[in-house]
Amino acid sequence: MTVHTKLLDGSQRALMAGYLESLALVERLHRLLLDVVKDEFERLGLLEINPVQALLLFNIGDNEVTAGELKTRGYYQGSNVSYNLKKLVDLGYMHHQRSEIDRRSVRVRLTEKGRGVRVVLNDLFSRHTEGFEKRGIIDAAGMEDINQSLKRMERYWTDQIRYIY
């Protein structure tokens, strides 16, 4: 496979450097978030689920969804969703029920135990937002700017998948 490189002008080089830095930051932030959740759970003695599973519970919230909807709604990005759902059901964090219409489809929702994990994460994230504010790290407007930029990148990448390949 041949890698083609394109000569970039000054502004394109700057954009490329910023883009690559952003990609690295997003990756590091995701891994760091998983470590933060892991540390919080270890501190509280919640050791039977991992951070990915905890975030899945948090993101599902009060919704009832199928495994397929977890990906399409953006609740879960992993390739092993079936494994994590089965484990969360087996451990009592989620209920599951086969669809009456399509027996292949399973709907899941949180149990009381699963909602407890959601509360733990909500409290953790609330402490983080208080810390951001108290330390002057970022305010609501700055967070909105970041989110809008990330959403534009997300739309661009989604379009690349849908229309180019």
Side-chain angles (χ1 to χ4, degrees):
M1 183 166 116
T2 306
V3 175
H4 297 281
T5 57
K6 179 180 174 184
L7 293 177
L8 303 175
D9 67 26
S11 67
Q12 290 172 323
R13 277 195 305 275
L15 180 57
M16 174 68 121
Y19 178 58
L20 295 176
E21 183 178 3
S22 293
L23 293 177
L25 276 168
V26 167
E27 280 188 275
R28 281 198 316 268
L29 285 170
H30 178 67
R31 285 193 303 271
L32 192 55
L33 172 62
L34 295 176
D35 287 342
V36 167
V37 170
K38 181 179 180 275
D39 286 351
E40 179 73 1
F41 277 36
E42 286 175 353
R43 189 179 65 74
L44 297 173
L46 298 170
L47 305 175
E48 65 184 356
I49 63 172
N50 65 42
V52 169
Q53 293 162 341
L55 289 168
L56 178 60
L57 294 171
F58 181 81
N59 289 323
I60 289 173
D62 294 328
N63 298 309
E64 183 175 294
V65 296
T66 65
E69 289 171 332
L70 292 174
K71 281 190 173 185
T72 58
R73 292 185 185 188
Y75 295 147
Y76 188 79
Q77 302 301 319
S79 60
N80 53 357
V81 67
S82 296
Y83 165 81
N84 282 317
L85 286 177
K86 182 179 180 339
K87 180 145 183 164
L88 291 167
V89 168
D90 291 346
L91 292 170
Y93 290 94
M94 297 184 91
H95 290 294
H96 76 291
Q97 181 177 355
R98 290 225 173 263
S99 169
E100 296 296 324
I101 299 164
D102 180 357
R103 300 301 292 166
R104 297 169 298 172
S105 178
V106 175
R107 298 196 69 73
V108 294
R109 70 182 189 286
L110 301 188
T111 62
E112 190 63 36
K113 189 175 178 182
R115 286 189 294 276
V117 169
R118 193 162 191 269
V119 168
V120 167
L121 286 177
N122 191 66
D123 291 348
L124 175 66
F125 298 154
S126 292
R127 288 195 313 270
H128 290 170
T129 57
E130 289 171 16
F132 292 157
E133 209 167 43
K134 284 181 186 174
R135 294 181 182 167
I137 293 170
I138 194 165
D139 61 9
M143 191 64 74
E144 181 62 23
D145 289 343
I146 289 170
N147 289 337
Q148 289 303 316
S149 294
L150 290 172
K151 286 175 185 175
R152 286 192 302 272
M153 287 177 66
E154 178 184 36
R155 278 192 302 273
Y156 178 80
W157 287 347
T158 300
D159 289 347
Q160 296 301 297
I161 294 166
R162 286 187 185 146
Y163 304 117
I164 291 185
Y165 300 108

